[in-house]
């Protein structure tokens, strides 16, 4: 599958990053050197011929020495430095609010707290949600803080790379840093809620974990002045026909649509109302990833509005962690990153003469296709083998949503200030 390079991200310190960025930054960055041409430096394909650390016959940013983030060698020498970090965004789960400083007096989140050598983002969010707090924060890889403080940013915001200490319970996740706290909205994955904004995303209960059994949840979407509310599923994983998602008319409680494991949503669901109820039910047996549904309310005349798709809601990073049935979140098999593009521009009204021209062009195209079919039936054409289009890093259309798949492994995390040629030793090989 092609990857949209401009929308790539990496987890933790990026040791498992296998993306296609080949410049230190997209805007004015230095071009990276090919790893099979850097024989004068410690990391190259001659020393690591089996793809260790992601090295190969390419010039993509990698982190073969477990540094703080992906980097690459550059041709220009500046004060003796022949490598640079790559400007690649860090991946985050839904509800991520940012990395903030914690001076401790008072702390950013002053509610309940706990420490655990099995801390993950999911366990911290679940803990704070169970204590009925709206915010959850992770610090130093093992500490979880909860709170409702709206001014959690009072000590200042920090760079996201300062919150990249790995979680003790899952080395593929970032859980804050020393004096730095990653803060999440703990209401993500709550069982029920009320929505009144023009656009938003509703997640299944217990998200980003699998939804639990015996769940009965209601969400209300009530947007004053809306003439139409349109729904699109970015994620849908419901088991068999017992577990279900229903859309109800908020005024009459009539069922408008019902989806389950056998009746899956394919197209957008349009509801001509300003008040909709989303209902979810799971039986005592099934558990699965659940769903993420995007909604957008259209006001005034719905005919004058452009079509709504998953790209219309500007969710620059909507991230879910896939956890197999019966497995713990800290041992997830892989992570899927759902990344959507920015909103597209509205279509303008088309002149009448343009419509006639398009109709004529369509007619001529149909005639040409019929002629080609008749010619094909009478002339035996040669079979031309299809070209292989499995190039991993081709550029797609910027308006398409993409899924970037990583297979993280355990990360040994430490910082290194300078990759000098003599003191730079590789963790990939022995002494």
């Amino acid at each position: 599958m092609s990857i949209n390079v401009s929308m790539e991200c990496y987890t933790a310190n990026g040791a498992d990053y296998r993306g296609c960025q080949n410049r230190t930054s997209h805007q004015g960055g230095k071009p990276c050197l090919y790893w099979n041409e850097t024989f004068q430096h410690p990391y190259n394909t001659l020393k690591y011929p089996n793809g260790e650390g992601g090295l190969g016959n390419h010039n993509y940013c990698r982190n073969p020495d477990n540094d703080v983030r992906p980097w690459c060698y550059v041709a220009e020498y500046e004060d003796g430095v022949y490598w640079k970090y790559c400007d690649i965004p860090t991946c985050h789960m839904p509800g991520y609010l940012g990395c903030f400083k914690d001076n401790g007096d008072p702390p950013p989140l002053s509610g309940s707290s706990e420490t655990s050598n099995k801390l993950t983002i999911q366990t911290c969010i679940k803990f704070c949600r169970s204590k009925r707090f709206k915010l959850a924060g992770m610090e130093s890889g093992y500490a979880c803080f909860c709170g409702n403080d709206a001014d959690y940013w009072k000590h200042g915001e920090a760079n996201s790379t300062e919150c990249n200490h790995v979680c003790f319970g899952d080395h593929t996740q970032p859980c804050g840093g020393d004096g730095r706290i990653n803060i999440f909205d703990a209401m993500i994955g709550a069982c029920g809620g009320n929505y009144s904004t023009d656009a938003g995303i509703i997640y299944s209960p217990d998200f980003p974990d699998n939804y639990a059994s015996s769940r009965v949840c209601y969400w209300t979407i009530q947007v004053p002045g809306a003439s139409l509310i349109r729904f699109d599923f970015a994620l849908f994983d419901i088991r068999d026909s017992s577990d279900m998602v229903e859309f109800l008319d908020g005024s009459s409680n009539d069922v408008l649509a019902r989806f389950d494991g056998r009746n899956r949503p394919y197209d957008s669901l349009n509801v001509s109302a300003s008040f909709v109820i989303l209902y979810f039910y799971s039986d005592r047996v099934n558990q699965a990833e659940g769903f993420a549904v995007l909604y957008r309310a259209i006001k005034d005349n719905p005919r004058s509005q452009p079509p709504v798709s998953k790209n219309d809601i500007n969710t620059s990073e909507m991230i879910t962690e896939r956890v197999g049935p019966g497995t713990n979140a800290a041992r997830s098999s892989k992570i899927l990153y759902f990344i959507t593009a920015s909103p597209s521009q509205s279509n303008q009204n088309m002149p009448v003469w343009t419509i006639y021209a398009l109709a004529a062009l369509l007619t001529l195209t149909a005639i040409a296709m019929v002629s080609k079919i008749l010619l094909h039936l009478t002339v035996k054409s040669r079979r031309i083998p299809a070209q292989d289009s499995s190039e991993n890093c081709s550029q797609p259309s910027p308006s398409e949503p993409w899924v970037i798949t990583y297979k993280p492994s355990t990360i040994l995390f430490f910082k290194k200030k300078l990759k000098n040629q003599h003191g730079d030793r590789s963790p990939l090989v022995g002494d």
Side-chain angles (χ1 to χ4, degrees), residues 200 202 219-222 228-234 247-248 256 259 265-273 275-278 292-297 308-310 313:
I202 301 174
W219 296 266
T220 63
I221 304 96
Q222 190 168 13
L228 178 74
I229 301 179
R230 191 164 294 182
F231 297 89
D232 290 275
F233 282 91
F247 291 86
L248 311 176
L256 305 174
F259 303 110
Y266 293 102
D267 300 321
S268 298
L269 174 66
N270 301 322
V271 179
S272 299
F275 183 20
V276 179
I277 299 175
L278 178 62
V293 59
L294 292 71
Y295 80 85
R296 180 171 182 176
V308 178
S309 66
K310 297 181 182 67
I313 298 179

Side-chain angles (χ1 to χ4, degrees), residues 314-335:
N314 188 13
T315 54
S316 60
E317 287 183 320
M318 185 182 70
I319 310 166
T320 67
E321 178 162 3
R322 165 171 274 177
V323 182
T327 60
N328 186 278
R331 296 181 180 180
S332 57
S333 59
K334 59 182 177 179
I335 297 178

Side-chain angles (χ1 to χ4, degrees), residues 54-295:
L55 305 187
N57 298 332
H58 58 76
N59 65 337
Y60 305 134
C61 299
R62 293 291 183 262
N63 188 8
D65 60 343
N66 284 322
D67 206 327
V68 296
R69 54 183 167 141
W71 57 273
C72 71
Y73 291 117
V74 294
E76 292 83 356
Y77 281 75
E78 297 179 4
D79 298 328
V81 177
Y82 50 87
W83 64 273
K84 287 185 176 293
Y85 288 120
C86 295
D87 185 13
I88 305 173
T90 304
C91 303
H92 293 290
M93 290 184 181
Y96 176 72
L97 300 178
C99 174
F100 299 91
K101 299 178 181 179
D102 182 6
N103 295 335
D105 187 25
L109 301 179
S110 55
S112 300
S113 64
E114 69 170 2
T115 59
S116 172
N117 59 1
K118 297 182 179 180
L119 181 71
T120 67
I121 295 176
Q122 294 98 317
T123 57
C124 183
I125 291 176
K126 186 181 296 184
F127 170 74
C128 294
R129 188 188 297 147
S130 67
K131 301 293 183 180
R132 300 187 180 278
F133 288 102
K134 297 179 180 179
L135 300 173
M138 295 111 252
E139 188 170 343
S140 300
Y142 64 91
C144 174
F145 297 92
C146 309
N148 295 319
D149 306 322
D151 55 347
Y152 50 80
W153 44 266
K154 50 196 166 191
H155 299 306
E157 189 170 2
N159 191 292
S160 61
T161 58
E162 299 179 35
C163 284
N164 273 356
H165 280 201
V166 297
C167 301
F168 279 26
D170 188 342
H171 287 184
T172 69
Q173 297 180 353
C175 276
D178 295 332
R180 300 293 184 266
I181 182 170
N182 268 341
I183 296 182
F184 285 78
D185 180 1
M187 300 308 294
I188 295 293
C191 184
N194 302 312
Y195 292 80
S196 59
T197 57
D198 292 348
I201 308 175
I202 301 174
Y203 299 93
S204 53
D206 309 305
F207 192 90
D209 279 336
N210 289 8
Y211 63 79
S213 57
S214 302
R215 283 291 198 178
V216 179
C217 308
Y218 292 89
W219 296 266
T220 63
I221 304 96
Q222 190 168 13
V223 184
S227 58
L228 178 74
I229 301 179
R230 191 164 294 182
F231 297 89
D232 290 275
F233 282 91
L235 170 68
F236 189 87
D237 180 31
I238 303 296
R239 294 287 188 256
D240 64 47
S241 59
S242 298
D243 300 351
M244 70 180 75
V245 175
E246 286 187 344
F247 291 86
L248 311 176
D249 186 294
S251 302
S252 63
N253 289 334
D254 292 336
V255 177
L256 305 174
R258 180 180 185 274
F259 303 110
D260 53 46
R262 299 179 182 177
N263 179 30
R264 305 174 61 85
Y266 293 102
D267 300 321
S268 298
L269 174 66
N270 301 322
V271 179
S272 299
S274 61
F275 183 20
V276 179
I277 299 175
L278 178 62
Y279 165 72
F280 173 75
Y281 168 82
S282 63
D283 60 16
R284 297 182 179 180
V285 178
N286 298 309
Q287 294 183 0
E289 286 183 272
F291 63 85
V293 59
L294 292 71
Y295 80 85

Side-chain angles (χ1 to χ4, degrees), residues 4 7 199-200 294-296 305-317 339-347 397-401:
N4 192 342
M7 291 216 173
L294 292 71
Y295 80 85
R296 180 171 182 176
Q305 300 290 337
V308 178
S309 66
K310 297 181 182 67
N311 295 331
D312 289 326
I313 298 179
N314 188 13
T315 54
S316 60
E317 287 183 320
I339 301 180
T340 60
S342 301
S344 56
Q345 297 181 352
S346 301
N347 295 327
S397 172
S399 64
E400 296 182 10

